[in-house]
Amino acid sequence: MALEDKNISYRIYVVAIFIFVMAVGIAVKLTNIQWVDGDYYRKLAKERTVRNFVIPANKGNIYSADGSLLATSIPNYEIRFDAKAPTVAVFEQNVGALADSLSTVLGKSGSFYQNELRKARANNNRYYLISRNLSYTDYIKIKNFPMFKLGAYKGGIIVEQKTVREHPIGKIAERTIGYERTSANGESDGKGIEWAYRKYLNGKDGKILKQKIAKGQWKPIRDINEIDPQDGYDVISTIDVYIQDIAHHALLKQLQDYEADHGCVVVMETETGQVKAISNLGRASDGTYYETTNYAVAESHEPGSTFKLVDLMAILEDKVADTSTVYNTFNGEIRYSGKAVRDSHHGGYGKISLARGFELSSNTVMVQSVYDNYKDRPSKFVNHVNSWGFNKKLHMDFEGEGRPHIPQPTDKHWSNISLQWMAFGYGVSVTPMQTLTFYNAVANNGIMVKPQFISEIKEWNKTILKVEKEVINPRVCSPETIKKLKAVLENVVKKGTAAKLYSKDFSMAGKTGTAQVNYGKRDGTKMYYASSFVGYFPADHPKYSCIVVVHKPSTANGDFYGAGVAGPVFKRIAQKIFTDVPSTNEIKNLNKKIVKQEKNYDSYYAKLQKTKKGVPNVKGMPGMDAIALLENLGYHVKTVGIGKVKSQSTLEGQELLKNETITLQLL
């Protein structure tokens, strides 16, 4: 019995010791939590009940030069259904009416939605998709439908909102307007105006502290750390929607007619460099065209004959030849180091002047003129090309600007035919925007300006940043050279390679170009043509310059030249801008005298001269003439009635002080 009691006592001690150890452990843990890890757990508790929330800033809009909205942010809604949230009674009472209501907005039948809602209920689906990409109007309608109007916890509606960027004018200039996006790895990137000017458009997000309350909802806590969001600024582009629409559709039609691979067109205001229209269209696999790459800015390629203006400017500026200098075309072919340079016209043009060779785009003439005068000093010619900016980027704000290439005599790849090939636009690589900038300098009387896509940054009606005209080169050549270049460029359209474009009603000037792309490649890439036309209009007082480039036009009809493929786009744009809708914002000064009025005024003035002192007699004069006459003498005039002067308050010859009032009775 004593042994049994001893065993019981032993077990009691063991339990007591165990309980004591547990108590000590609990005490140590509590002490640890309170004092050692207290800060950590207090912080964790605060994070789970109090949290900083980001208040997104409203992104600024992008506008055209004429005030049209090009890009804006709008809310986009996604509606889902928590099928377990409503009670059985609420669900059964409202499911039919909800399904019928959904069918009126979303298009499918009421029975379809009722079956889907019941299926979601049976499967305990707590995140069933009703619809996405809803407008605010549709969201408000659906939010007030039966069952959903009971809210998230009783009606099961789940609303997710996000902001999307929309282009109200559609796909026109979409690539230039651009975008900003977040890639799969969380990094931001983008293109066009949206990306280049994101620091102005995006604004600054705010933050607010919120405390968690019942059922997962958060209540704002106002404190000194709260930061209000700063909305983004609006960006005013230089794009003119009317001109943009003309350019886009003119290019699209030609691409479709020639089944071309891709093309671009740019219209730029001559004096300021502001880009009024830019369209870049590429062909999809289904034959449709859409904005893919900004070819005008990004695509650097051999320009072909449009580069010949560089030759002519250098030759005239150095005075090594003149427009009247005669060259032999040698039946349309000359050779250098065994390589042939041929004219597009079989048999050549005989002996013609340099100006005529340019107008007819004769390769043999232009190559001879460059080679004969610069073969012993090629660096002099290339230095001209460099000074006009062809060897470096324009450094525009857009990402992905194409890299130009101008061979230099010091390069290891410079050969004994490099100079000759440069003369007719081969072996060099420039972007369409660079070529346009050069031609625009000629139109702008030698002043080269940088292309601009933005005119100002605004916060409502307050201007934050005004983008001024940027002059790249104040004088690319002498006025004498400019005058001669303008004459031959106008003759290209009047009687040269672009004669088909000539119109007696409207003047244009420019240069055609046809380049073989991928020639001589051994990697299996097929050779094709790039057709171009660049110039300005009107020819006598240039307002706009324009370039059109079409890559890989179909050769099925035999016409793949710049005049036939790219030229009509240029002409259509020019005619639409200045012929179909003439400008009405200028008031003509008609210095035409009205004989009767002049005679009357002369007779009145003669009366005044006879009256050396005092007020003249204005009886019988038209009221307006009398007022003008008296006010010119320094008197104040008050009239009663309309018509001619019947009487005057101050008699003829009476003296009055200046600024005194004379009353005229009119009848």
Side-chain angles (χ1 to χ4, degrees), residues 327-345:
Y327 290 90
N328 192 337
T329 60
F330 297 105
N331 297 318
E333 181 179 323
I334 54 177
R335 287 185 171 270
Y336 295 95
S337 300
K339 302 290 185 180
V341 175
R342 298 185 179 90
D343 287 331
S344 60
H345 182 265

PDB file of all heavy atoms in Angstrom, residues 327-345:
ATOM      1  N   TYR A 327      27.182  67.434-119.723  1.00  0.00           N
ATOM      2  CA  TYR A 327      27.776  66.108-119.529  1.00  0.00           C
ATOM      3  C   TYR A 327      27.248  65.155-120.596  1.00  0.00           C
ATOM      4  O   TYR A 327      26.092  65.259-121.030  1.00  0.00           O
ATOM      5  CB  TYR A 327      27.424  65.552-118.143  1.00  0.00           C
ATOM      6  CG  TYR A 327      28.112  66.276-117.009  1.00  0.00           C
ATOM      7  CD1 TYR A 327      27.509  67.385-116.413  1.00  0.00           C
ATOM      8  CD2 TYR A 327      29.359  65.874-116.559  1.00  0.00           C
ATOM      9  CE1 TYR A 327      28.131  68.058-115.380  1.00  0.00           C
ATOM     10  CE2 TYR A 327      29.996  66.546-115.517  1.00  0.00           C
ATOM     11  CZ  TYR A 327      29.373  67.636-114.932  1.00  0.00           C
ATOM     12  OH  TYR A 327      30.002  68.298-113.918  1.00  0.00           O
ATOM     13  N   ASN A 328      28.090  64.222-120.989  1.00  0.00           N
ATOM     14  CA  ASN A 328      27.713  63.178-121.945  1.00  0.00           C
ATOM     15  C   ASN A 328      27.195  61.977-121.162  1.00  0.00           C
ATOM     16  O   ASN A 328      27.867  61.485-120.250  1.00  0.00           O
ATOM     17  CB  ASN A 328      28.925  62.779-122.788  1.00  0.00           C
ATOM     18  CG  ASN A 328      28.546  61.918-123.976  1.00  0.00           C
ATOM     19  OD1 ASN A 328      27.497  61.268-123.979  1.00  0.00           O
ATOM     20  ND2 ASN A 328      29.403  61.886-124.990  1.00  0.00           N
ATOM     21  N   THR A 329      26.017  61.487-121.517  1.00  0.00           N
ATOM     22  CA  THR A 329      25.454  60.333-120.800  1.00  0.00           C
ATOM     23  C   THR A 329      25.955  58.999-121.352  1.00  0.00           C
ATOM     24  O   THR A 329      25.600  57.942-120.812  1.00  0.00           O
ATOM     25  CB  THR A 329      23.911  60.363-120.859  1.00  0.00           C
ATOM     26  OG1 THR A 329      23.481  60.312-122.230  1.00  0.00           O
ATOM     27  CG2 THR A 329      23.361  61.611-120.202  1.00  0.00           C
ATOM     28  N   PHE A 330      26.742  59.020-122.429  1.00  0.00           N
ATOM     29  CA  PHE A 330      27.390  57.814-122.975  1.00  0.00           C
ATOM     30  C   PHE A 330      26.403  56.657-123.176  1.00  0.00           C
ATOM     31  O   PHE A 330      26.609  55.547-122.680  1.00  0.00           O
ATOM     32  CB  PHE A 330      28.541  57.365-122.072  1.00  0.00           C
ATOM     33  CG  PHE A 330      29.649  58.365-121.980  1.00  0.00           C
ATOM     34  CD1 PHE A 330      29.809  59.143-120.833  1.00  0.00           C
ATOM     35  CD2 PHE A 330      30.518  58.559-123.046  1.00  0.00           C
ATOM     36  CE1 PHE A 330      30.833  60.083-120.745  1.00  0.00           C
ATOM     37  CE2 PHE A 330      31.551  59.497-122.961  1.00  0.00           C
ATOM     38  CZ  PHE A 330      31.699  60.261-121.808  1.00  0.00           C
ATOM     39  N   ASN A 331      25.301  56.980-123.863  1.00  0.00           N
ATOM     40  CA  ASN A 331      24.280  55.972-124.169  1.00  0.00           C
ATOM     41  C   ASN A 331      23.697  55.312-122.913  1.00  0.00           C
ATOM     42  O   ASN A 331      23.229  54.177-122.927  1.00  0.00           O
ATOM     43  CB  ASN A 331      24.842  54.891-125.095  1.00  0.00           C
ATOM     44  CG  ASN A 331      25.245  55.453-126.445  1.00  0.00           C
ATOM     45  OD1 ASN A 331      24.530  56.287-127.023  1.00  0.00           O
ATOM     46  ND2 ASN A 331      26.400  55.027-126.950  1.00  0.00           N
ATOM     47  N   GLY A 332      23.755  56.040-121.795  1.00  0.00           N
ATOM     48  CA  GLY A 332      23.100  55.563-120.581  1.00  0.00           C
ATOM     49  C   GLY A 332      23.910  54.624-119.730  1.00  0.00           C
ATOM     50  O   GLY A 332      23.362  54.005-118.814  1.00  0.00           O
ATOM     51  N   GLU A 333      25.246  54.504-119.963  1.00  0.00           N
ATOM     52  CA  GLU A 333      26.049  53.613-119.121  1.00  0.00           C
ATOM     53  C   GLU A 333      27.498  54.072-119.083  1.00  0.00           C
ATOM     54  O   GLU A 333      28.106  54.353-120.119  1.00  0.00           O
ATOM     55  CB  GLU A 333      25.987  52.171-119.628  1.00  0.00           C
ATOM     56  CG  GLU A 333      26.795  51.197-118.781  1.00  0.00           C
ATOM     57  CD  GLU A 333      26.708  49.763-119.271  1.00  0.00           C
ATOM     58  OE1 GLU A 333      25.612  49.358-119.723  1.00  0.00           O
ATOM     59  OE2 GLU A 333      27.741  49.059-119.217  1.00  0.00           O
ATOM     60  N   ILE A 334      28.037  54.143-117.877  1.00  0.00           N
ATOM     61  CA  ILE A 334      29.464  54.388-117.683  1.00  0.00           C
ATOM     62  C   ILE A 334      29.975  53.381-116.662  1.00  0.00           C
ATOM     63  O   ILE A 334      29.194  52.844-115.861  1.00  0.00           O
ATOM     64  CB  ILE A 334      29.751  55.828-117.199  1.00  0.00           C
ATOM     65  CG1 ILE A 334      28.936  56.153-115.940  1.00  0.00           C
ATOM     66  CG2 ILE A 334      29.468  56.840-118.282  1.00  0.00           C
ATOM     67  CD1 ILE A 334      29.232  57.521-115.374  1.00  0.00           C
ATOM     68  N   ARG A 335      31.271  53.121-116.693  1.00  0.00           N
ATOM     69  CA  ARG A 335      31.837  52.096-115.802  1.00  0.00           C
ATOM     70  C   ARG A 335      32.971  52.670-114.958  1.00  0.00           C
ATOM     71  O   ARG A 335      33.758  53.487-115.422  1.00  0.00           O
ATOM     72  CB  ARG A 335      32.340  50.900-116.615  1.00  0.00           C
ATOM     73  CG  ARG A 335      31.219  50.044-117.186  1.00  0.00           C
ATOM     74  CD  ARG A 335      31.731  48.791-117.887  1.00  0.00           C
ATOM     75  NE  ARG A 335      30.619  47.921-118.215  1.00  0.00           N
ATOM     76  CZ  ARG A 335      30.143  46.965-117.417  1.00  0.00           C
ATOM     77  NH1 ARG A 335      30.747  46.734-116.244  1.00  0.00           N
ATOM     78  NH2 ARG A 335      29.123  46.238-117.771  1.00  0.00           N
ATOM     79  N   TYR A 336      33.009  52.190-113.725  1.00  0.00           N
ATOM     80  CA  TYR A 336      34.070  52.531-112.796  1.00  0.00           C
ATOM     81  C   TYR A 336      34.553  51.241-112.141  1.00  0.00           C
ATOM     82  O   TYR A 336      33.775  50.525-111.503  1.00  0.00           O
ATOM     83  CB  TYR A 336      33.575  53.501-111.716  1.00  0.00           C
ATOM     84  CG  TYR A 336      33.157  54.847-112.256  1.00  0.00           C
ATOM     85  CD1 TYR A 336      31.816  55.109-112.556  1.00  0.00           C
ATOM     86  CD2 TYR A 336      34.095  55.851-112.473  1.00  0.00           C
ATOM     87  CE1 TYR A 336      31.430  56.332-113.050  1.00  0.00           C
ATOM     88  CE2 TYR A 336      33.715  57.087-112.966  1.00  0.00           C
ATOM     89  CZ  TYR A 336      32.385  57.324-113.259  1.00  0.00           C
ATOM     90  OH  TYR A 336      32.006  58.547-113.759  1.00  0.00           O
ATOM     91  N   SER A 337      35.830  50.933-112.338  1.00  0.00           N
ATOM     92  CA  SER A 337      36.422  49.711-111.770  1.00  0.00           C
ATOM     93  C   SER A 337      35.617  48.474-112.144  1.00  0.00           C
ATOM     94  O   SER A 337      35.403  47.573-111.318  1.00  0.00           O
ATOM     95  CB  SER A 337      36.542  49.835-110.248  1.00  0.00           C
ATOM     96  OG  SER A 337      37.359  50.926-109.888  1.00  0.00           O
ATOM     97  N   GLY A 338      35.133  48.463-113.375  1.00  0.00           N
ATOM     98  CA  GLY A 338      34.397  47.312-113.862  1.00  0.00           C
ATOM     99  C   GLY A 338      32.938  47.272-113.456  1.00  0.00           C
ATOM    100  O   GLY A 338      32.191  46.372-113.870  1.00  0.00           O
ATOM    101  N   LYS A 339      32.479  48.235-112.648  1.00  0.00           N
ATOM    102  CA  LYS A 339      31.088  48.287-112.205  1.00  0.00           C
ATOM    103  C   LYS A 339      30.327  49.313-113.044  1.00  0.00           C
ATOM    104  O   LYS A 339      30.803  50.429-113.258  1.00  0.00           O
ATOM    105  CB  LYS A 339      31.004  48.667-110.733  1.00  0.00           C
ATOM    106  CG  LYS A 339      31.761  47.715-109.791  1.00  0.00           C
ATOM    107  CD  LYS A 339      31.075  46.365-109.708  1.00  0.00           C
ATOM    108  CE  LYS A 339      31.771  45.483-108.672  1.00  0.00           C
ATOM    109  NZ  LYS A 339      31.137  44.154-108.571  1.00  0.00           N
ATOM    110  N   ALA A 340      29.153  48.914-113.506  1.00  0.00           N
ATOM    111  CA  ALA A 340      28.359  49.772-114.396  1.00  0.00           C
ATOM    112  C   ALA A 340      27.425  50.685-113.613  1.00  0.00           C
ATOM    113  O   ALA A 340      26.798  50.275-112.639  1.00  0.00           O
ATOM    114  CB  ALA A 340      27.557  48.922-115.361  1.00  0.00           C
ATOM    115  N   VAL A 341      27.349  51.917-114.062  1.00  0.00           N
ATOM    116  CA  VAL A 341      26.348  52.873-113.590  1.00  0.00           C
ATOM    117  C   VAL A 341      25.440  53.160-114.771  1.00  0.00           C
ATOM    118  O   VAL A 341      25.897  53.633-115.813  1.00  0.00           O
ATOM    119  CB  VAL A 341      26.995  54.177-113.081  1.00  0.00           C
ATOM    120  CG1 VAL A 341      25.922  55.191-112.705  1.00  0.00           C
ATOM    121  CG2 VAL A 341      27.903  53.895-111.898  1.00  0.00           C
ATOM    122  N   ARG A 342      24.152  52.868-114.618  1.00  0.00           N
ATOM    123  CA  ARG A 342      23.223  52.977-115.753  1.00  0.00           C
ATOM    124  C   ARG A 342      22.098  53.955-115.452  1.00  0.00           C
ATOM    125  O   ARG A 342      21.677  54.128-114.310  1.00  0.00           O
ATOM    126  CB  ARG A 342      22.612  51.605-116.077  1.00  0.00           C
ATOM    127  CG  ARG A 342      23.619  50.551-116.497  1.00  0.00           C
ATOM    128  CD  ARG A 342      22.899  49.273-116.909  1.00  0.00           C
ATOM    129  NE  ARG A 342      23.826  48.230-117.341  1.00  0.00           N
ATOM    130  CZ  ARG A 342      24.362  47.322-116.529  1.00  0.00           C
ATOM    131  NH1 ARG A 342      24.044  47.330-115.237  1.00  0.00           N
ATOM    132  NH2 ARG A 342      25.204  46.417-116.987  1.00  0.00           N
ATOM    133  N   ASP A 343      21.609  54.551-116.542  1.00  0.00           N
ATOM    134  CA  ASP A 343      20.397  55.365-116.449  1.00  0.00           C
ATOM    135  C   ASP A 343      19.181  54.475-116.604  1.00  0.00           C
ATOM    136  O   ASP A 343      19.233  53.438-117.282  1.00  0.00           O
ATOM    137  CB  ASP A 343      20.383  56.442-117.539  1.00  0.00           C
ATOM    138  CG  ASP A 343      21.371  57.562-117.250  1.00  0.00           C
ATOM    139  OD1 ASP A 343      21.630  57.813-116.058  1.00  0.00           O
ATOM    140  OD2 ASP A 343      21.879  58.166-118.215  1.00  0.00           O
ATOM    141  N   SER A 344      18.080  54.883-115.992  1.00  0.00           N
ATOM    142  CA  SER A 344      16.849  54.103-116.131  1.00  0.00           C
ATOM    143  C   SER A 344      16.305  54.166-117.555  1.00  0.00           C
ATOM    144  O   SER A 344      15.608  53.258-118.008  1.00  0.00           O
ATOM    145  CB  SER A 344      15.789  54.609-115.145  1.00  0.00           C
ATOM    146  OG  SER A 344      15.494  55.978-115.391  1.00  0.00           O
ATOM    147  N   HIS A 345      16.647  55.246-118.276  1.00  0.00           N
ATOM    148  CA  HIS A 345      16.219  55.395-119.662  1.00  0.00           C
ATOM    149  C   HIS A 345      17.245  54.719-120.574  1.00  0.00           C
ATOM    150  O   HIS A 345      18.407  55.126-120.637  1.00  0.00           O
ATOM    151  CB  HIS A 345      16.098  56.885-120.015  1.00  0.00           C
ATOM    152  CG  HIS A 345      15.614  57.136-121.415  1.00  0.00           C
ATOM    153  ND1 HIS A 345      16.473  57.360-122.469  1.00  0.00           N
ATOM    154  CD2 HIS A 345      14.356  57.186-121.931  1.00  0.00           C
ATOM    155  CE1 HIS A 345      15.780  57.552-123.570  1.00  0.00           C
ATOM    156  NE2 HIS A 345      14.484  57.449-123.265  1.00  0.00           N
TER     157      HIS A 345
END
